[in-house]
Amino acid sequence: MLPVTVAVMCVGVLLVLKSTPMRALGWLVASCLLYPEYLRVPVGPLLLSCPRLMASVLLIKLWATSTGKFEWRLPDYLVLVIWVWDLFANLMAGSPTHVLTGFGGVFLDTVLMYFVSRRVFTDRGSYSELLLPLSITAIVAGGLGIQEAFTGSSPLRSLFKYHAWVWVRKEDMYRLGLLRAQGATAHAIYYGVCMLVVVGFLFSLKPRRGSKQLLLWQLAMLFGVLGVLMSLSSGPVTALGAFVIFLAFYKFPGLIKPAILSAFAMAFVLQLVSNRSEIGRAHV
């Protein structure tokens, strides 16, 4: 499976080099959901995945072609300081070698991804370039999720036996007679959340009426929402419902304050009638 993973990485790098920064970021997101991230290539002490390699190449490309000076902000420093502090704390605590080595992967998955996004999201006018890669992602990943839920199999499920690493592996579960779809993530909740993020981005990229891209967007939204539902996970599905409710606030902003006050009131009432804790009692 290693040659296939290397080939996919080469395609991903080529897309990054040939695309604009914003579209390259879209292909980076696509690589997380269209090919299993747990299939990796060992490079020294690190396990290099397709998204990690694409992000590294994209950041180098951005620095090499940038004409302006990067302006550091407080969140930039915080992201670096938190990672360094966590590494330092583990060093002082005498953590085993495999834990310390894992901080290289943490750097690639957090610090690197943050600064890539930080460098790319500077031009609002280019956001529309995300539409094509995110639409393809939603249609393909959502379609595979539907297939997995209804048939119990998909091309991605057969690849798990080649995994080099996985965050957490849960046994297959059925709800409502359907298999909880995991897609390329090997976890139903993670799959549902990722599909929901794609749906949210796509919603903000809706083309104007009469646009040739409108049909593509509509199909992507349909498959994206179905992908979230096929995770059969309460978290992503509840978040999808909340997303739909929050859209009403865009049309009726006057409802925002009453909704917030109602939420606090409901939480207070639930706390009073719940037997899971007591008001005024500290839980250590």
Side-chain angles (χ1 to χ4, degrees):
M1 201 61 197
L2 187 61
V4 176
T5 301
V6 172
V8 172
M9 287 181 170
C10 291
V11 173
V13 170
L14 185 62
L15 287 172
V16 169
L17 295 176
K18 294 294 184 179
S19 304
T20 62
M22 188 64 72
R23 180 152 293 180
L25 183 63
W27 293 126
L28 171 58
V29 174
S31 71
C32 298
L33 284 169
L34 299 183
Y35 190 74
E37 199 269 344
Y38 53 75
L39 296 179
R40 300 178 175 181
V41 176
V43 180
L46 298 176
L47 292 174
L48 199 61
S49 64
C50 188
R52 290 177 175 181
L53 179 60
M54 291 176 66
S56 302
V57 173
L58 179 54
L59 188 60
I60 294 173
K61 176 184 175 180
L62 289 168
W63 274 334
T65 59
S66 177
T67 56
K69 183 179 179 181
F70 180 73
E71 296 184 6
W72 287 81
R73 306 290 186 182
L74 179 60
D76 306 332
Y77 292 108
L78 289 177
V79 169
L80 283 173
V81 168
I82 290 173
W83 180 82
V84 172
W85 176 258
D86 200 5
L87 175 60
F88 176 76
N90 277 269
L91 284 170
M92 293 297 97
S95 297
T97 303
H98 72 276
V99 173
L100 298 177
T101 303
F103 275 92
V106 172
F107 180 88
L108 295 175
D109 290 338
T110 55
V111 180
L112 173 63
M113 298 299 175
Y114 168 81
F115 278 100
V116 167
S117 302
R118 173 77 165 80
R119 296 279 293 184
V120 172
F121 285 121
T122 55
D123 181 14
R124 293 186 178 182
S126 63
Y127 283 5
S128 60
E129 296 177 3
L130 289 170
L131 180 59
L132 178 61
L134 293 187
S135 295
I136 293 175
T137 301
I139 293 172
V140 176
L144 290 174
I146 296 171
Q147 177 188 0
E148 185 176 359
F150 279 91
T151 67
S153 65
S154 78
L156 296 176
R157 289 183 65 86
S158 61
L159 299 179
F160 185 75
K161 59 186 177 183
Y162 301 107
H163 77 282
W165 176 91
V166 67
W167 170 50
V168 60
R169 177 62 175 169
K170 294 190 68 174
E171 297 298 326
D172 293 339
M173 293 180 61
Y174 286 82
R175 290 180 179 175
L176 303 177
L178 300 175
L179 177 66
R180 297 180 64 190
Q182 300 177 357
T185 65
H187 198 292
I189 298 176
Y190 190 24
Y191 169 74
V193 170
C194 290
M195 291 301 297
L196 181 60
V197 171
V198 172
V199 167
F201 266 104
L202 279 172
F203 183 83
S204 67
L205 299 172
K206 181 181 180 181
R208 296 180 179 179
R209 290 186 178 181
S211 172
K212 296 180 180 180
Q213 295 179 318
L214 184 59
L215 178 59
L216 175 65
W217 178 86
Q218 291 171 337
L219 287 174
M221 287 294 295
L222 174 62
F223 278 90
V225 170
L226 289 175
V228 176
L229 297 177
M230 291 304 99
S231 71
L232 296 169
S233 177
S234 58
V237 173
T238 302
L240 178 63
F243 174 70
V244 174
I245 294 174
F246 291 155
L247 292 179
F249 296 149
Y250 182 79
K251 295 288 186 179
F252 307 100
L255 296 175
I256 295 178
K257 288 185 179 180
I260 293 176
L261 294 175
S262 299
F264 275 112
M266 291 175 60
F268 182 74
V269 171
L270 288 174
Q271 178 70 20
L272 289 177
V273 301
S274 174
N275 61 358
R276 305 182 75 176
S277 61
E278 299 176 10
I279 294 179
R281 177 182 176 182
H283 295 268
V284 180

